[in-house]
Amino acid sequence: MLFALGFLPMFGIGGLTGLPLAFNIADIPLHDTYYVIAHFHYVVAPGTIFALFAGIYYWFPKATGRKMNETLGKIHFWGTLVCMNVVFTPMFIMGMAGVSRRLFDGGATYDFAQPVLHWNVVSSWGAWIMAIFQIPFIFNFFWSIWKGEKTEANPWQATTIEWAAPSPPPHGNFAVAPQAYRGPYEYSVPGTAKDFTAQNEA
């Protein structure tokens, strides 16, 4: 859930920083600078990477029958979120100072770029530290396959029918063919005893 929620403000930053590029008065000086790189990557990186991690954490119990460690997951999330901003935010600063992209020396030969070039170092440190924060995820993933907490078939109390399969699922997915009695998103139905009602519950 943290990765799903973390995606929203990151994608929002990417979207909002694209608005100035729609106006020629701003786009002409910003075109082909680091600003465009930062804007693009704020849209693309969280949208793919955060969604990938959210999916892995969510589907891991169904695939393996075990949960991943939550503490390691939180370390992985917060480290990745902070470092991703450390990587891309300096690019906005350099872009607004006029540092162009695709320079073989990163702008070292341009006088106007000198006051902001140290942000390249900050961005690089952010990338390396973010790589280090992937180690808890890698360890968590493989350790949890064998040693993770065993879980029930529907640990997230999801309503969709695939959670009626055992965890891990056998050959053919379902031990008994499921029957759908309702739509997939029956949350907080008035008059029911619990907050969610699964599709396969009569």
Side-chain angles (χ1 to χ4, degrees), residues 35-187:
Y35 181 95
V36 177
I37 302 294
H39 150 67
F40 176 78
H41 282 86
Y42 259 105
V43 172
V44 174
T48 53
I49 296 172
F50 279 31
L52 175 69
F53 285 134
I56 290 171
Y57 282 108
Y58 183 72
W59 289 107
F60 190 88
K62 179 53 65 185
T64 66
R66 297 178 183 270
K67 281 186 178 179
M68 294 177 76
N69 182 277
E70 192 170 327
T71 302
L72 288 175
K74 288 178 179 178
I75 292 169
H76 174 223
F77 167 74
W78 288 110
T80 302
L81 179 71
V82 170
C83 288
M84 193 171 284
N85 283 288
V86 173
V87 171
F88 298 129
T89 302
M91 295 182 185
F92 285 125
I93 299 168
M94 289 188 292
M96 286 187 286
V99 179
S100 179
R101 59 194 292 207
R102 300 194 185 104
L103 298 175
F104 80 97
D105 60 358
T109 54
Y110 294 88
D111 290 336
F112 71 88
Q114 301 309 310
V116 294
L117 278 188
H118 65 281
W119 287 109
N120 256 335
V121 178
V122 174
S123 187
S124 297
W125 274 108
W128 283 108
I129 296 171
M130 184 166 65
I132 292 170
F133 271 108
Q134 305 319 299
I135 295 172
F137 168 76
I138 295 167
F139 172 81
N140 194 5
F141 183 88
F142 289 104
W143 181 83
S144 297
I145 290 174
W146 295 286
K147 301 290 185 180
E149 175 192 346
K150 289 188 177 180
T151 185
E152 56 183 315
N154 190 359
W156 311 128
Q157 297 187 342
T159 59
T160 49
I161 205 161
E162 69 272 16
W163 293 95
S167 298
H171 179 71
N173 293 331
F174 295 96
V176 178
Q179 183 175 350
Y181 293 97
R182 64 188 52 80
Y185 306 113
E186 300 287 334
Y187 288 102

